[in-house]
Structure formats: C-alpha cells, structure tokens
C-alpha cells in the first residue's frame, strides 16, 4: 500500500538513504503543501533518523510564531514570495538544528489567486547549514489544488537533493 | 487528481465545512503520520480558514521543543504512550491558539516494535479548548508502514469530529 506515486517514493527513498549514510538531518516548513513533504519523507522506513521535524505553517501567525518569519516580510512581500520562503527555510534550519531545510509557500487554489500571483505560483527555498541557499519560483499553472501540491512536492524533493550536495 | 482515498477526503471535507461554519480552528501534532493529517485536511479547498498549523514532531527533541512535551514524560512513559499523546495535544492546542487539536504517536514499523509496544500500536489524543479530552489506544497490527499511517489518519479524523462536538 502506498499513498504517494512511485516516482515520489523513489526520490524520497534516495534522500533518506543518502542522508542516513552521511548522518544528515532535515526539517520541512510547509504552507501550500500542508504536510505532504514531511509525509512523503516519513513514508520511508528509517526516516526517523533523518527527519527531525516539520512545521506546517498554514496561517501567517504560524509562520511568525513557529518559524520567526518577520511580520514586515509578510506585510511587504506577502506570504507567497521569495522573501517569505527564504525566511521560512531559515527559521526551520535554525529552530530545528537540522543540516538541511526546505520551505514552500504558494497558491494551490482554486481560490486566492490574482493577476500578479496566480493559482499555481509557488516559491520554494532550501538551505544547508554549510551555506547553500536555493530559491525557485515556479508557475505550475492551474493544475487543480492537488496537482499544484504534488508538483510542489516533486520540486521540493529535487531541491533537497541539491541543497544536500555541499553538506558535510 | 486526489492523493487520499475518497473516504478520507469525504471526512476531511465534512470537518473543514463544519469548522468553517462554526468558526473553529485546528492544529495537528503528528509523529508516526508525519504530516498526513495536516496534508489530508489541507487538501480541502478553503481549509486555510480552519487549519492554523501542524507540528510534525518526529524526534523526541522536536516533541519537547515544538510542543513542550516534558522530558520526564518521554523518559518515563516513552514517545509512544497515552501521556505523550496527551502532552502533544495540549502543546498544540495552547501554542497554536486553535480550538481543537489532534495528536498521534505510534509505531508504524517495520522496525521499532517490541513485545510491549508492537508495530501498529498508536496513541491518539484530541482536545478542545472547551475541555474535551479524548484518548484512544489503537492496535492496528502490522498493516505495513503505510497501512498503519493511513489507519491512524482515519482514526484521527474521527476523533477530530468527536472533539469538536462540545466546541462553541
């Protein structure tokens, strides 16, 4: 029985095995995916040695309280922005003590879109304690709520692999 | 496109609709499900008005740091215990400001089981700010890692509905 598609599971398994071998840990910070990144990683047996924790920060208040995202960042740039994604990744990294963090914030729809920030817009950030900072702005288009969430999950796992490349 | 089974989605939708109508909010605290409860609730469009946040506390340190579970509780009763589930639910309720919280901690397997605490043992706790405290100990048996996680998700959603009955 498997919840996630085989391709997702394959990447998640590769990450958990690689991190286990290298003694690396990870923390997730999720808005639009609502826990699916942590859910996919923890599907893998042995993930408890790698996944320290996940912050599902759906409200702005949670982004501030749980991850230390500055109110000014949210006010100035909005919850779906490069700046917020980076602040979420940084908060997750330092509050958890993990070596790698991944953060996502976006508009899964069907509501909440605008001309400037349409449904399918997602900002992702990954950081390593060693100093890597990655950011991607994705415009998946209106794939439907679950489509956007699953596409985001896929991109997030890719970025985790990438951010881990320079880790100790 | 839907990640979760139709039955899960139906219950999640009923919860989000009911909570929206009544102005209730929820926070999740997940160990063995690793984010799937928050993931299922946030699959529903409009859930951002209801789901404040989720704490995926996979490590003991995360249970202490993010939810205030006492070290003594973890030492004395273990991470998979009634006491830890209740402390997680309480931490989620008070740290998030939500009206309802749900917490789960268990042994999804395939490793980590013992004679006393076999694979498939899960403790769940739900609390409402109004005063409801629910606890269930489930012994799902060895359904496989994903089977235990999905069975836990199903029980958790049932308990959320139950805990919300006395809410304002």
């Amino acid at each position: 029985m498997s919840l996630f598609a085989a391709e997702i599971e394959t990447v998640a398994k590769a990450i958990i095995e690689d991190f286990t071998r290298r003694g690396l840990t990870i923390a997730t910070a999720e808005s639009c995916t609502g826990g699916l990144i942590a859910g996919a990683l923890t599907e893998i047996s042995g993930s408890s040695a790698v996944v320290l924790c996940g912050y599902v920060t759906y409200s702005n208040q949670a982004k501030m309280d749980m991850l230390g995202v500055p109110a000014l960042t949210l006010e100035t740039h909005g919850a779906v922005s490069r700046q917020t994604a980076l602040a979420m990744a940084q908060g997750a990294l330092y509050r958890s003590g993990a070596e790698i963090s991944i953060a996502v914030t976006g508009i899964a729809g069907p509501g909440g879109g605008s001309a400037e920030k349409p449904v399918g817009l997602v900002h992702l950030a990954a950081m390593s304690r060693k100093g890597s900072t990655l950011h991607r702005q994705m415009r998946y288009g209106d794939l439907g709520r679950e489509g956007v969430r699953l596409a985001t999950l896929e991109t997030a796992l890719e970025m985790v692999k990438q951010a881990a490349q320079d880790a100790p």
Side-chain angles (χ1 to χ4, degrees), chain A:
Chain A
M1 189 184 319
S2 182
L3 184 62
F4 296 94
E7 309 83 71
I8 295 285
E9 206 179 319
T10 302
V11 182
K13 192 156 188 277
I15 290 170
I16 297 298
E17 287 175 354
D18 177 52
F19 276 45
T20 302
R21 198 174 48 243
R22 297 162 67 195
L24 298 177
T25 54
I26 187 169
T28 63
E30 307 184 52
S31 190
C32 62
T33 46
L36 296 184
I37 301 173
L41 289 170
T42 58
E43 184 175 58
I44 309 303
S45 165
S47 54
S48 56
V50 171
V51 181
L52 295 185
C53 64
Y55 305 84
V56 182
T57 53
Y58 225 55
S59 68
N60 277 355
Q61 193 63 48
K63 289 178 184 72
M64 294 188 278
D65 292 348
M66 292 168 68
L67 293 169
V69 176
L72 191 62
T73 300
L74 291 164
E75 279 162 30
T76 311
H77 306 286
V80 179
S81 63
R82 181 177 64 85
Q83 292 83 351
T84 295
L86 289 168
M88 289 171 66
Q90 188 171 323
L93 197 69
Y94 287 101
R95 295 202 172 189
S96 70
E99 273 90 19
I100 306 285
S101 69
I102 176 75
V104 307
T105 177
I107 300 163
S114 65
E116 196 200 347
K117 296 188 176 183
V119 169
L121 173 69
V122 180
H123 285 271
L124 303 95
M127 283 190 190
S128 79
R129 198 163 280 277
K130 196 87 174 285
S132 271
T133 298
L134 308 172
H135 164 257
R136 284 198 210 170
Q137 174 186 277
M138 303 298 288
R139 288 176 182 265
Y140 297 112
D142 191 353
L143 307 176
R145 184 172 181 83
E146 206 60 357
V148 172
R149 283 156 49 98
L150 291 173
T152 305
L153 168 57
E154 213 172 314
T155 308
L157 295 181
E158 272 172 41
M159 288 177 72
V160 168
K161 281 171 63 176
Q162 209 181 333
Q165 278 169 4
D166 81 343

